[in-house]
Amino acid sequence: MLTRRTLLLTGAGALLTRGATIRYREYSRCLPDYLAELARDAYERRNRAIAKLTNQGAIHEYQRWARETFWRLAGGEPDRTPLQTRTTGTFERGGYRVEKLIYESQPGLVIPANLYIPTRGTPPFPGVLFQMGHSLNGKAAEPYQKCCQGLARLGYVVLAFDPMGQGERTYYPGPGGVTTRLDSADEEHTVPGRQMLLVGDTATRMQVWDAVRSLDVLAAHPLVDKGRLASTGQSGGGTLTMLLAAVDDRLAAAAVSSGNTENVACADFHPPGSTDDAEQNLLYSGPAAFDRWDLLYPMAPKPMLVLASARDFFGTYSPTYLSSGREEFAKLGKAYSVLGAGGKLEWDETPTPHALSYYLRTRIYAFFERRLKGRDVESVVEPPVQPEADEVLFAGPTGNVVRDFGSKTPLSLTRERAAAMKTGPVDAGQLRKLLELDAPVPVQPVQVARVPSEAADIAAIGVPTAPRVYAPAWVFVPRKADAAAPVLLVVEPGGRNVRWREGGLYHQLAAEGVTVCAADVRGIGDLRPQVSAGNPQYTIPHATEDAYGWSSLIFGKPLVGQQTADLLAFVRSFEAMPATRGRRVMLAATGHVALAALFATVLEPKIARSYLVGLLPSYRGLLAREDYSVPTANFLPGVLRVTDIPDLLSPRVVQGTAWDLRGLLQFVRS
């Protein structure tokens, strides 16, 4: 029996189901899912390779491959040049003295360092290269001084040097002339590190070569036992110890404390993965099935200690920091066992936050006592330590090597390399290779829905542009469209939703008879990536186009290349839609996505003309200034070896100044 309530509910149900059912994709998952597939592939290929390490010959071959692959990815092994070592000062404390040194890791690139020398005991002493975490004051940071002093009092010669962009090597000083004007020491690495990419160089190569040459200085000291050289460091210094372990056979032992012992391509990949500052991102390592733990394989079977803060998986690094580290430690442990040295690989953890705490320092002391001196000890009490004021440790009079010694900078070295490079036009094949474009996927646009508006119908479409990627767009089809008029493909940094509203730019163009396809490409608009699971302190800052730009480079797919591929797919899709089939295609872009539009224009003859507002004038011009605002997404490694933006311009490219109705109409009708 039908009651009044039943009738009301039946009527409500009818109202709810009237009209089309809209089924949008989760566009924010597209870029993460695309990279997750690349990560899964790299992880599986690497696991298959490691599974074959069942005999000593296979391990030795893998070690050789790891070292060669690292140098190839980093940009090549530099030549050794004169160190020009000088002592600029000295002071003495109880049980040790400190010599202040400068030397050149590359011609003109000055490294300031403190050499801690025991004044008790019998030389030759074991030598320890101490590498800094990302402290603004570099070697003067309090916990690092404590560790260096503690090691010296225990009978080790310790060389502590300032890494790129820290301490006396701050290259972007603020008003005070010492501390950086950038946001962090990480940015001191990354700002010039992006520029290095343009000439095929990396901050990774600079950092590891500074460590190699610093080890040269330490090994050459007459009081040091060259057969007992070691390296240690906390956080970024732990990571630099990993880099050094990959390339230098002289190390007899290594202690990695809270380094980035996390693979990017790992079992539980959280997009964009564990991206970090420039030197820690091993670019194009995904296609090579190479990852951070491969840095440690060349060290086997020599003693190695890996220390971790258990809190770092939610306090400092990505959610897979500990799970990936433990998994990879077990894999490396099997290789050590095959080499008959299972007991020489050690792991320890602290529950406390990310810092070179007392516990971690004492674990390092005990490890070196066992492995470099042969003492049967499990723990060592830290000797008395007393950190000095920063100025006491300065190798120069004012605390900046550029000002004090005329040092070159990472940027000046990049400019020198660029000056030796000549660029020119490239063919489509060369450009596709630079962009690392995937093979085009079959394009069949999916119309989600179509609704009328004031002067046009608005179609919501999705276009498959790459595996697991659907790029969304609004298509404004004027009711009084001119069949001979072109289709205008529009893309801008804010995404397709910025100007879609009634009275907005796209409606205005449609009212003038222009068919407009306003598209999103990977990294912008509705294709901005979602926030991955994990501590928001880490995951939210990494859910950005910039972090995904680094991740894309790690997996060998520059984000600007992915964005170019999206635009090319939209152009191909027009032939499959009745409203756009057979029409000329014109492309308009503004801001940093104008670069992808330029590349698409070069590669796709169907694009009759493009209108670009705010196009980056040139890659070479990026090297003319210290400060710039170009995102990582626009950096193309090695581009200045072959071409530059002016080489790609043609009469088909119009560089506009106005992103408004008048400017776009003039372009379409010209």
Side-chain angles (χ1 to χ4, degrees):
M1 179 178 178
L2 292 176
T3 64
R4 182 172 181 271
R5 176 178 172 81
T6 304
L7 286 169
L8 287 171
L9 288 173
T10 303
L15 287 173
L16 287 170
T17 58
R18 184 175 299 161
T21 300
I22 308 299
R23 287 188 171 88
Y24 275 119
R25 294 178 181 273
E26 289 189 64
Y27 293 117
S28 65
R29 288 191 59 87
C30 287
L31 179 53
D33 285 351
Y34 175 78
L35 293 180
E37 185 63 22
L38 296 177
R40 181 197 60 78
D41 176 66
Y43 175 68
E44 291 179 353
R45 285 186 290 115
R46 183 172 175 275
N47 279 348
R48 288 195 294 271
I50 289 175
K52 297 177 182 178
L53 303 183
T54 57
N55 59 74
Q56 294 189 8
I59 293 171
H60 293 153
E61 176 60 24
Y62 195 82
Q63 291 175 312
R64 182 196 61 77
W65 169 84
R67 179 164 295 175
E68 291 179 356
T69 300
F70 170 77
W71 276 126
R72 175 173 61 82
L73 297 177
E77 182 177 1
D79 295 326
R80 273 184 165 82
T81 51
L83 284 163
Q84 310 287 7
T85 305
R86 283 198 288 145
T87 301
T88 62
T90 186
F91 63 87
E92 189 161 336
R93 299 290 184 260
Y96 68 94
R97 73 175 185 274
V98 175
E99 295 182 359
K100 305 175 186 182
L101 307 179
I102 60 169
Y103 47 91
E104 298 181 9
S105 62
Q106 299 179 52
L109 187 69
V110 177
I111 311 296
N114 298 142
L115 185 68
Y116 294 75
I117 303 173
T119 53
R120 300 167 186 159
T122 304
F125 301 106
V128 177
L129 185 67
F130 189 92
Q131 308 211 57
M132 307 300 145
H134 295 173
S135 52
L136 289 175
N137 58 346
K139 63 186 181 302
E142 182 172 308
Y144 304 155
Q145 284 197 58
K146 287 180 177 179
C147 196
C148 292
Q149 291 178 14
L151 286 167
R153 288 180 184 273
L154 288 168
Y156 299 84
V157 175
V158 182
L159 183 66
F161 68 98
D162 279 333
M164 164 186 174
Q166 296 171 237
E168 294 183 83
R169 290 179 69 190
T170 297
Y171 296 120
Y172 302 83
V178 177
T179 305
T180 182
R181 66 177 182 268
L182 303 181
D183 291 338
S184 65
D186 289 24
E187 285 297 284
E188 280 270 348
H189 303 171
T190 299
V191 169
R194 290 192 197 96
Q195 292 167 307
M196 291 178 188
L197 301 182
L198 302 177
V199 298
D201 201 0
T202 63
T204 309
R205 188 175 88 124
M206 174 169 281
Q207 295 268 50
V208 73
W209 194 243
D210 289 348
V212 169
R213 300 315 315 274
S214 296
L215 193 63
D216 287 346
V217 172
L218 180 63
H221 198 281
L223 297 180
V224 171
D225 182 348
K226 298 175 181 57
R228 292 187 291 167
L229 296 174
S231 178
T232 191
Q234 161 70 16
S235 187
T239 305
L240 293 179
T241 293
M242 295 167 66
L243 298 180
L244 183 61
V247 302
D248 207 312
D249 283 331
R250 293 174 295 176
L251 290 182
V256 176
S257 181
S258 303
N260 206 334
T261 49
E262 172 181 18
N263 277 354
V264 179
C266 55
D268 189 19
F269 180 72
H270 289 253
S274 55
T275 60
D276 217 298
D277 60 322
E279 82 276 1
Q280 298 188 54
N281 298 326
L282 304 178
L283 306 190
Y284 295 87
S285 56
F290 181 93
D291 223 319
R292 291 189 182 121
W293 273 83
D294 288 313
L295 299 169
L296 299 181
Y297 277 79
M299 190 73 187
K302 297 174 183 176
M304 183 158 51
L305 169 65
V306 180
L307 296 168
S309 162
R311 184 180 176 274
D312 272 352
F313 85 95
F314 65 86
T316 303
Y317 294 121
S318 97
T320 56
Y321 174 70
L322 274 180
S323 59
S324 173
R326 290 166 178 162
E327 176 187 345
E328 296 300 332
F329 179 83
K331 294 174 188 174
L332 181 58
K334 290 181 180 179
Y336 264 78
S337 295
V338 171
L339 295 174
K344 292 184 179 180
L345 182 63
E346 304 178 31
W347 174 282
D348 200 355
E349 298 176 11
T350 175
T352 55
H354 189 85
L356 188 58
S357 60
Y358 178 89
Y359 177 75
L360 295 182
R361 296 197 302 274
T362 58
R363 300 314 297 160
I364 292 169
Y365 302 152
F367 172 74
F368 285 148
E369 289 290 284
R370 289 194 302 274
R371 301 303 184 178
L372 295 179
K373 293 184 180 178
R375 293 185 60 204
D376 186 14
V377 295
E378 284 300 317
S379 62
V380 173
V381 175
E382 183 170 72
V385 293
Q386 182 60 55
E388 310 284 348
D390 291 15
E391 297 79 11
V392 174
L393 300 178
F394 285 170
T398 73
N400 186 282
V401 293
V402 177
R403 191 168 52 239
D404 293 338
F405 305 110
S407 174
K408 293 180 179 179
T409 69
L411 179 54
S412 67
L413 290 173
T414 301
R415 288 170 177 164
E416 289 178 5
R417 295 191 71 181
M421 296 176 179
K422 297 189 181 300
T423 64
V426 292
D427 60 31
Q430 291 172 304
L431 183 55
R432 292 183 72 89
K433 178 59 181 171
L434 269 175
L435 296 170
E436 298 288 350
L437 294 185
D438 292 318
V441 298
V443 173
Q444 183 61 49
V446 175
Q447 181 168 298
V448 178
R450 180 165 173 163
V451 294
S453 189
E454 290 178 320
D457 287 345
I458 305 175
I461 69 167
V463 173
T465 66
R468 306 176 74 88
V469 177
Y470 276 78
W474 304 122
V475 181
F476 294 78
V477 183
R479 297 203 181 89
K480 298 180 180 179
D482 180 355
V487 179
L488 181 63
L489 175 59
V490 178
V491 61
E492 54 181 308
R496 65 186 178 132
N497 299 317
V498 172
R499 305 176 200 273
W500 83 272
R501 293 177 178 80
E502 295 175 6
L505 180 60
Y506 306 152
H507 274 275
Q508 293 174 5
L509 288 164
E512 295 289 337
V514 180
T515 299
V516 178
C517 177
D520 285 339
V521 294
R522 273 171 272 184
I524 68 170
D526 288 331
L527 282 171
R528 284 186 61 188
Q530 66 179 18
V531 178
S532 288
N535 190 309
Q537 183 173 287
Y538 182 92
T539 57
I540 290 176
H542 281 74
T544 62
E545 188 183 17
D546 194 67
Y548 274 84
W550 282 113
S551 182
S552 295
L553 290 174
I554 290 169
F555 290 114
K557 298 292 180 183
L559 188 50
V560 69
Q562 296 178 53
Q563 294 171 341
T564 302
D566 294 341
L567 293 175
L568 294 173
F570 274 109
V571 174
R572 297 196 305 276
S573 77
F574 293 152
E575 284 303 305
M577 292 188 289
T580 55
R581 186 179 297 123
R583 309 270 287 277
R584 284 190 310 142
V585 178
M586 303 183 87
L587 174 57
T590 184
H592 75 269
V593 289
L595 186 58
L598 172 64
F599 295 148
T601 305
V602 173
L603 293 170
E604 180 52 79
K606 291 181 181 177
I607 299 174
R609 299 178 76 202
S610 61
Y611 180 79
L612 309 180
V613 176
L615 176 68
L616 178 68
S618 72
Y619 279 121
R620 193 176 295 274
L622 264 179
L623 304 182
R625 54 187 189 271
E626 288 186 346
D627 301 300
Y628 59 88
S629 58
V630 178
T632 302
N634 269 11
F635 283 82
L636 199 54
V639 63
L640 288 178
R641 290 175 171 175
V642 290
T643 195
D644 199 358
I645 293 167
D647 301 319
L648 303 176
L649 300 177
S650 73
R652 292 167 58 213
V653 178
V654 177
Q655 295 200 64
T657 56
W659 190 256
D660 56 19
L661 180 64
R662 181 178 177 182
L664 289 170
L665 277 179
Q666 185 177 357
F667 165 67
V668 171
R669 293 170 176 172
S670 61

